[in-house]
Amino acid sequence: MSTETLTIGKALNLGLRRAMEDDAKVVLMGEDIGKLGGVFRITDGLQKDFGDARVVDTPLAEAGILGTAVGLAMRGYRPVCEIQFDGFVFPAYNQIVTQVAKIHARSKGRLPMPIVIRIPFGGGIGAVEHHSESPEAYFAHTAGLKVVAVSTPSDAYWGIQQAITHPDPIVFLEPKRRYWEKGEVDTDATPDPLFASRVLRGGDDVTVLAYGPMVKTALQAAEAAAEEGRSLEVVDLRTLSPLDLEPVYASVRRTGRCVVVHEAPTTLGLGAEIAARVTETCFHSLEAPVLRVGGYDTPYPPSKLEEEYLPDLDRVLDAVDRSLGF
Amino acid sequence: MSALSQTTEVVDPVPGADAPHLPGQPDLVQLLTPEGERVEHPEYSLDVTDDELRSLYRDLALVRRWDVEATALQRQGELGIWASLLGQEAAQVGAGRALAADDMAFPTYREHGVAWTRGVDPLHVISLFRGVDQGGWDPVATKFNLYTVVIGAQTLHATGYAMGLQRDGAESATLAFLGDGATSQGEVNEAMIWAATFSAPVVFFCQNNQYAISVPIERQSRVPLFRRAAGFGFPGVRVDGNDVLAVLAVTRAALAAARDGQGPTFIEAFTYRMGAHTTSDDPTRYRLASELEEWKLRDPIARLKAYLSRSGIADADFFTSVDAEGDQLAVRIRQGTLEMPDPAGTEIFDHVYAEQTPELARQREEFVAYHASFEGAES
């Protein structure tokens, strides 16, 4: 067993490196990912070691990154596209939704699209507009795409490798404000499946679901609740499309209560889908309606207000109180 | 005088921009005049045998026959829609016949003539417009990608594929088809920037058929389209798109240059869509009958026929046999269309993912069970 303590950012870097070593067809493409190593340094040192044909500094055009990735995938390559910030994915949205997502079906499986779209997502870093968004619902709503969100260094290290070897296109969401969070990574382990949620903390009173940057917040809330004698079960969804809700159903059948937490605007966010499914499936076990804690239905605010916008520990605990109050 | 006019030198950015869209100017590469006379061009010669010339005529005539039959099938309610290539046969056959076996073509949705040259069965194209599938041909085996309906998206795919060819050391190229309207798309511009930057072996083949549905080329560009290539840093050529020989020569040269590592070329095939954009629109609303009449005089098939007859390369028997072959093709298309089975309902679930998701597997089961529940019921 080889265990290292790594940040999420470094774990991604090592995961990318290992994927590139394992398969010469893996090609990284994005803006500033070469000499600079990416604005978050996730690709640091990779161009130096693998060359500029495998770590491609692209022209500044997101649709171009994704559109050429389609052609490369048709030629047997496995492109890993870095979108610099979440808000910049929209120029590429057409290629992702009308092309990347549909070509496998359109071609009756003759043209696989093993493309990974890495997006640093979510707020909390004090950035200017378009640098702090949560676009996951757009992609999860699109048939043909799969969407995952990592929250720990271990998942980051393994998840990026699993995403790259997976045959379908994957939107790979990286919680940018957690890039510097540290954790243990066993680089020899057998990783959990990519498309599986995971109970991170057991509890009996309320099931709390979160993914990406909100996982840490949910765990902090559970810690705080425990001091008041309340036992929260925290589930890291990990996979947003397909959703893996069987462990959630099992949990809710025990606790009778469910709170979904995410940063994205609440209306028509993933929480809405999860609430509907949990209600359909666990109706007779529920003691309270499934509650959502999300961003407001506003554009992401100026950074001086983002702490107001983002769900925090107190808003999660407030929802837990409301759930228990039914 | 204002300060602005004193300090600003106003330069016409585009010489000749006042009349950018007229054919018959020196920039237009032509090897066969509208009257069917063979002419030479200093930069583009063409070495073709008589057999090849007859074969090109056959392609043009059969592709038109296919198109006419498909249009009729749509009018009779057998196809949801049809995008006619009438008038663009030479541009498509010329470009398609310039491809080498290992080159890859990336069409839009009107490139039936190119499909023909790649050996794609017309019924596999018809099935798309009948709503049976999204294109029944194998894009890997035919080296003819599936149709792309979102305007311009395929130019990036062609460029990426060309980058793949480059990496693999393959001596092949890609041919990206687009229309005049597509040149306004951001993605097409990105594709050209990419192609130039990476010197990708891709040829952009623009059929300027003068209209993007109803909007004329003047609403897309102030400059002749082929001149745009200079701004991206690669050659642009305008060819008479109704002259199959010129299109073949120009496209062959551009593909050869691409395979040779000389990077992209932009070809503007100057042509005209004789029919509607699709069977859903009415071109009499947006263009003059006189314009159509004028273009009829430049018909791509009539001019090759005139040349072949006049030069003795083909005789009346040849043309009669091609006509007969066209009639047989039309019968095959008609029967094949009418006999085309509807797809099984479960097909919608089958290829969404390479690795099926549990949710979709569940929905598929639900679909099957729901439909099974009607079995044996009164209709």
Side-chain angles (χ1 to χ4, degrees), chain A residues 25 27 29 52-54 56-72 74-75 77 91 94-95 98-99 101 103-112 142-146 166-169 195 241-242 277, chain B residues 102 104 106 132-140 143 145-154 156-165 167-168 170 187 190-191 193-194 197-198 347 350-359 363:
Chain A
K25 293 287 188 183
V27 177
M29 314 215 296
D52 62 5
R54 294 196 62 201
V56 184
D57 265 327
T58 66
L60 204 166
E62 287 79 9
I65 296 171
L66 263 300
T68 53
V70 167
L72 282 163
M74 287 172 66
R75 195 62 211 166
Y77 288 87
N94 172 48
Q95 282 289 336
T98 74
Q99 307 299 316
I103 285 174
H104 188 269
R106 201 193 286 162
S107 68
K108 297 183 184 169
R110 287 164 174 147
L111 298 174
T142 301
L145 300 177
K146 293 176 178 174
H166 190 75
D168 290 308
F195 303 110
S241 176
R277 292 209 200 178
Chain B
D102 283 339
M104 179 81 188
F106 287 80
V132 169
D133 54 34
Q134 317 284 18
W137 66 93
D138 182 343
V140 180
K143 297 274 193 280
N145 193 43
L146 293 178
Y147 280 0
T148 298
V149 173
V150 173
I151 302 299
Q154 76 286 352
L156 280 166
H157 307 166
T159 305
Y161 193 96
M163 289 166 67
L165 290 170
R167 282 155 191 269
D168 296 340
E187 289 183 23
E190 291 184 28
I193 289 164
W194 236 266
T197 302
F198 295 103
E347 278 191 16
D350 287 347
H351 297 292
V352 180
Y353 298 99
E355 193 174 284
Q356 180 71 304
T357 67
E359 174 60 23
Q363 289 183 15

Side-chain angles (χ1 to χ4, degrees), chain A residues 30-105:
Chain A
E31 296 155 11
D32 306 299
I33 67 169
K35 281 185 182 162
L36 182 66
V39 291
F40 290 107
R41 309 292 184 267
I42 304 303
T43 55
D44 191 27
L46 297 178
Q47 190 182 64
K48 183 170 157 287
D49 293 342
F50 292 96
D52 62 5
R54 294 196 62 201
V55 181
V56 184
D57 265 327
T58 66
L60 204 166
E62 287 79 9
I65 296 171
L66 263 300
T68 53
V70 167
L72 282 163
M74 287 172 66
R75 195 62 211 166
Y77 288 87
R78 305 185 88 88
V80 182
C81 302
E82 176 173 309
I83 299 295
Q84 205 157 62
F85 285 91
D86 34 47
F88 305 163
V89 75
F90 297 107
Y93 191 64
N94 172 48
Q95 282 289 336
I96 298 171
V97 171
T98 74
Q99 307 299 316
V100 173
K102 294 190 168 64
I103 285 174
H104 188 269

